[in-house]
Amino acid sequence: MTNFKQIAIDGPAGAGKSSVAKKLAEKLKYIYVDTGAMYRALTYKALKKGVSVTDTKKLIELAKTTLIDFQIDDSNVQRVICDGEDVTEAIRRPEVSDAVSVVAAIPEVRESLVIKQRALAKSNNIIMDGRDIGTIVLPDANFKFFLIASLEERAKRRLEEFKSKGYKVTLKGVIDDITKRDKLDSERETSPLRPAEDALIIDTSDLNITQVVNHILNVVNNGGS
Ligand code: DC
């Protein structure tokens, strides 16, 4: 047990988890941990080193030996640092999105990353987002939220995000990617994507980020749902 506060935010790709969690962290002055970025950083490193995502043994070894860190830059933007390299932008590339769910399905890879995630939560008030935060990583979190949204809405949000970064992707391509990842993430044996029994489920399809943030702040400030 820890005296630090923990807020878990889970949900499928594009449900708004990271935008909401970042804003909440700012308002509550908590540390934000994007666990998806950790799986992405590892996947990026594997691709860069030419390690195949089917080479489970090498991936397990990489997960054990890779240092993944978060730093805040001068513009107050969180940077993801992997073995000293700033990979913040690189881990959002479509080829990483395409491969990450396979890497994240390996139980021993998850074990290594969960150890790192729990260590971060030991010494900070934390908002952590991912797929298994409320169920596995922080089962005693003070608050658990599970964000959902329609597939069309989630795909539109991701498409905007990719376009703003100059990536050439189509709505169909994004829908296919999200559908494939959600399937892999929810059907894997270890820590599948699912809401904790005590999570509050929020449908963000018709809500903007501010509305979701205010809703969560309301719950947090009133001590429960
Ligand atoms: O949130 P994201 O799209 O950046 O996550 C990338 C992938 O990592 C996602 O397809 C599932 C996986 N993931 C996971 O399995 N467990 C987590 N706690 C976070 C992400």
Side-chain angles (χ1 to χ4, degrees), residues 35-36 39-40 92 100-101 104 110 130-132 181 185 188:
T35 62
Y39 290 96
R40 283 173 179 273
R92 304 288 156 196
V100 63
S101 286
R110 303 197 67 82
R131 304 292 189 286
D132 58 341
R181 280 206 292 140
D185 294 341
R188 69 177 174 228

Side-chain angles (χ1 to χ4, degrees), residues 74-137:
D74 296 341
S75 320
N76 214 20
V77 173
Q78 195 173 64
R79 315 294 305 175
V80 187
I81 314 294
C82 182
D83 289 336
E85 179 189 348
D86 187 333
V87 297
T88 314
E89 277 82 31
I91 62 171
R92 304 288 156 196
R93 284 187 200 145
E95 62 269 26
V96 175
S97 298
D98 213 36
V100 63
S101 286
V102 178
V103 176
I106 303 169
E108 295 87 343
V109 164
R110 303 197 67 82
E111 245 169 62
S112 293
L113 294 198
V114 168
I115 289 172
K116 297 182 206 288
Q117 291 155 11
R118 288 189 181 140
L120 287 166
K122 253 198 171 146
S123 45
N124 299 289
N125 287 328
I126 212 123
I127 298 191
M128 199 174 272
D129 80 1
R131 304 292 189 286
D132 58 341
I133 311 306
T135 50
I136 304 290
V137 182

